[in-house]
């Protein structure tokens, strides 16, 4: 049997293999095989994931920023696909899910991948007064072609305190199908897919967990109550995450208080309280949630949550820039909702409320947190390297 010379494979075939690698560790190992494989992956340095996507409050511009490691500043990332050709900025990015951006391009809704520039059209919503505020994909539209479902939250833009509309669509649908919210009320806060079903947090106080029945277009409320997780006097973020075969509820409470000091001017300190609970179901493989229990750690996984968007979990073994059993979330001001930094909460640290790491973002202007962004395939940063002063001598 003849041995195959892997170094002599065609560059195009190697590049296709590189773009299908699921984790950053495999992409780094691919580029370390030889010079030919490194050249086949493309120009630029690999960008460790995940990133977070921000949207400017002034002109709607978006920026992808990667979390910086210790003693390094965060900086925007310019993707290799966006380096060449005509740059067309979308009108407004409404949501992020599974590496896809939900874009409202002048009334036309579509899913776009900023790395590969792939686009998937979405049907328009029936009522023009409602705008898309969040989207959740059950699978990758290109990997599971014809078998994916999109759930979305729609809201009247002029009324800030109005309720949402929960709707879903499948490939080929001409319009969105609405859910009946007679039993739950028009308030939805987070959605996740688990064991082939969609679960959503409902209620004014985010204290109910419901099952989305697409056949009858109704929400089945479970007996699980999450009211004990909510700190009423604090700003709270709550979401659902599928992690290692379990369905988790993550609650991030934000509180600003005046720090006591002997100086005349007092500084306002921030405290973030993170609680993670596991949802238990009735029977083996059942669909109805019946109880929750506290989670001390998430083993090899790290959780990424945001005020909006599709939360997810990533294994630290496959992503070198991720720390295990940590919750990554945003630090936002309660009054203006502007982003001031990223917070890493270690669930294994008993004094995690005192030892939280807040990394500020060196951005000018006002930015709103859109969501965490995990690219569908390995991406390369083609930003030119900064020239140092000693390089001119």
């Amino acid at each position: 049997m003849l041995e195959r010379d892997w170094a002599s494979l065609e560059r195009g075939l190697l590049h296709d293999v590189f773009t299908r690698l699921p984790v950053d560790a495999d992409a780094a190992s691919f580029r370390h095989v030889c010079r030919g494989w490194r050249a086949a992956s493309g120009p630029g340095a690999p960008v460790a994931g995940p990133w977070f996507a921000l949207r400017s409050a002034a002109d709607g511009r978006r920026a992808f920023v990667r979390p910086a490691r210790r003693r390094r500043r965060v900086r925007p990332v310019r993707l290799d696909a966006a380096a060449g050709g005509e740059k067309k900025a979308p009108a407004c990015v409404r949501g992020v899910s599974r590496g896809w951006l939900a874009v409202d391009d002048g009334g036309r809704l579509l899913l776009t991948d900023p790395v590969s520039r792939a686009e998937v059209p979405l049907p328009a919503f029936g009522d023009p007064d409602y705008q898309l505020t969040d989207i959740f994909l059950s699978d990758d539209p290109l990997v599971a072609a014809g078998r994916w479902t999109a759930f979305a939250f729609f809201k009247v833009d002029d009324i800030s305190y109005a309720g949402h509309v929960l709707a879903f669509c499948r490939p080929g649908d001409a319009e969105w199908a609405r859910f009946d919210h007679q039993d739950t009320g028009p308030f939805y806060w987070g959605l996740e897919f688990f064991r082939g079903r969609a679960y959503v947090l409902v209620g004014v106080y985010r204290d109910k967990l419901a099952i989305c029945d697409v056949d009858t277009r109704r929400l089945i409320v479970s007996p699980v109550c999450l009211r004990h997780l909510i700190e009423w006097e604090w700003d709270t973020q709550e979401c659902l995450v599928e992690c290692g075969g379990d369905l988790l509820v993550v609650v991030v409470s934000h509180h600003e208080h005046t720090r006591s000091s002997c100086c005349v001017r007092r500084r306002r300190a921030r405290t973030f309280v993170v609680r993670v609970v596991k949802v238990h179901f009735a029977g083996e493989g059942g669909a109805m949630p019946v109880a929750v229990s506290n989670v001390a750690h998430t083993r090899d996984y790290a959780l990424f949550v945001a005020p909006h968007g599709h939360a997810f979990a990533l294994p630290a073994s496959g992503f070198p820039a991720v720390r295990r059993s940590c919750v990554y979330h945003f630090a936002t001001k309660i009054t203006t909702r502007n982003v001031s930094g990223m917070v890493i909460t270690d669930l294994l640290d008993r004094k995690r409320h005192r030892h939280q790491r807040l990394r500020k973002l060196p951005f000018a202007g006002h930015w709103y947190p859109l969501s965490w962004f995990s690219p569908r395939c390995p991406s390369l940063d083609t930003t030119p390297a900064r020239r140092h002063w000693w390089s001119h001598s």
Side-chain angles (χ1 to χ4, degrees), residues 186-308:
F187 297 97
Y188 312 102
W189 307 99
L191 191 143
E192 183 58 289
F193 302 91
F194 186 71
R195 296 177 182 174
R197 297 179 177 85
Y199 295 86
V200 61
L201 293 172
V202 297
V204 180
Y205 303 109
R206 314 177 184 97
D207 56 347
K208 298 179 182 179
L209 183 60
I211 307 174
C212 302
D213 190 352
V214 296
D215 296 330
T216 60
R217 300 183 184 180
R218 295 182 63 90
L219 299 177
I220 305 175
V221 182
S222 68
V224 174
C225 183
L226 306 174
R227 186 167 299 181
H228 65 283
L229 301 177
I230 307 299
E231 300 289 345
W232 304 107
E233 70 275 11
W234 293 0
D235 184 28
T236 304
Q237 304 172 18
E238 190 171 359
C239 63
L240 297 172
V241 186
E242 195 277 330
C243 176
D246 296 327
L247 182 60
L248 306 180
V249 180
V250 183
V251 179
V252 180
S253 300
H254 176 202
H255 177 56
E256 290 187 0
H257 58 91
T258 304
R259 181 180 301 174
S260 59
S261 175
C262 59
C263 303
V264 177
R265 183 179 179 181
R266 297 183 178 182
R267 301 179 57 185
R268 297 188 63 85
R270 303 188 196 180
T271 302
F272 297 92
V273 180
V274 179
R275 299 188 63 180
V276 182
V277 297
K278 174 183 175 181
V279 180
H280 298 274
F281 297 86
E284 181 118 6
M288 178 60 67
V290 293
V292 294
S293 61
N294 293 327
V295 174
H297 59 85
T298 56
R299 300 184 297 275
D300 187 46
Y301 289 89
L303 307 180
F304 296 85
V305 300
H308 301 281

Side-chain angles (χ1 to χ4, degrees), residues 10-25:
E10 297 181 0
R11 177 171 296 186
L13 179 60
L14 290 175
H15 182 73
D16 292 342
V17 173
F18 177 77
T19 56
R20 287 172 170 80
L21 297 177
V23 296
D24 293 345

Side-chain angles (χ1 to χ4, degrees), residues 33-201:
V33 172
C34 61
R35 293 183 178 179
W37 285 36
R38 178 187 291 269
S41 63
V47 182
W51 318 330
F52 41 85
L54 305 177
R55 185 175 62 191
S56 174
D59 52 5
R61 291 181 298 112
R62 72 173 188 266
F64 298 101
V65 184
R66 61 177 177 180
R69 294 186 177 181
R70 191 172 300 176
R71 298 180 181 178
R72 292 185 60 183
R73 298 181 66 188
V74 297
R75 62 190 180 95
V77 175
R78 190 181 73 183
L79 304 179
D80 51 356
E86 182 181 358
K87 296 183 179 179
K88 181 181 177 181
C92 186
V93 179
R94 296 295 184 180
V96 179
S97 179
R98 301 188 186 277
W100 291 87
L101 302 178
V103 176
D104 185 359
D105 190 4
R108 185 172 66 100
L109 299 179
L110 56 92
L111 297 173
T112 177
D113 182 6
V115 180
S116 63
R117 293 299 182 91
E119 292 185 355
V120 176
L122 294 175
F125 196 67
D127 194 341
D129 295 334
Y130 282 81
Q131 293 185 358
L132 179 69
T133 60
D134 235 334
I135 194 166
F136 305 87
L137 302 177
S138 62
D139 293 290
D140 193 318
L142 296 184
V143 176
R147 304 188 310 271
W148 58 277
T149 306
F151 286 75
F153 298 158
F154 293 89
K155 187 177 181 180
V156 180
D157 187 54
D158 296 337
I159 306 176
S160 59
Y161 294 99
H164 295 80
V165 171
L166 175 60
F168 72 95
C169 70
R170 295 188 177 99
D173 291 348
E175 59 181 6
W176 293 83
R178 301 190 184 189
F179 279 91
D180 184 10
H181 54 76
Q182 183 177 0
D183 300 333
T184 60
F187 297 97
Y188 312 102
W189 307 99
L191 191 143
E192 183 58 289
F193 302 91
F194 186 71
R195 296 177 182 174
R197 297 179 177 85
Y199 295 86
V200 61
L201 293 172

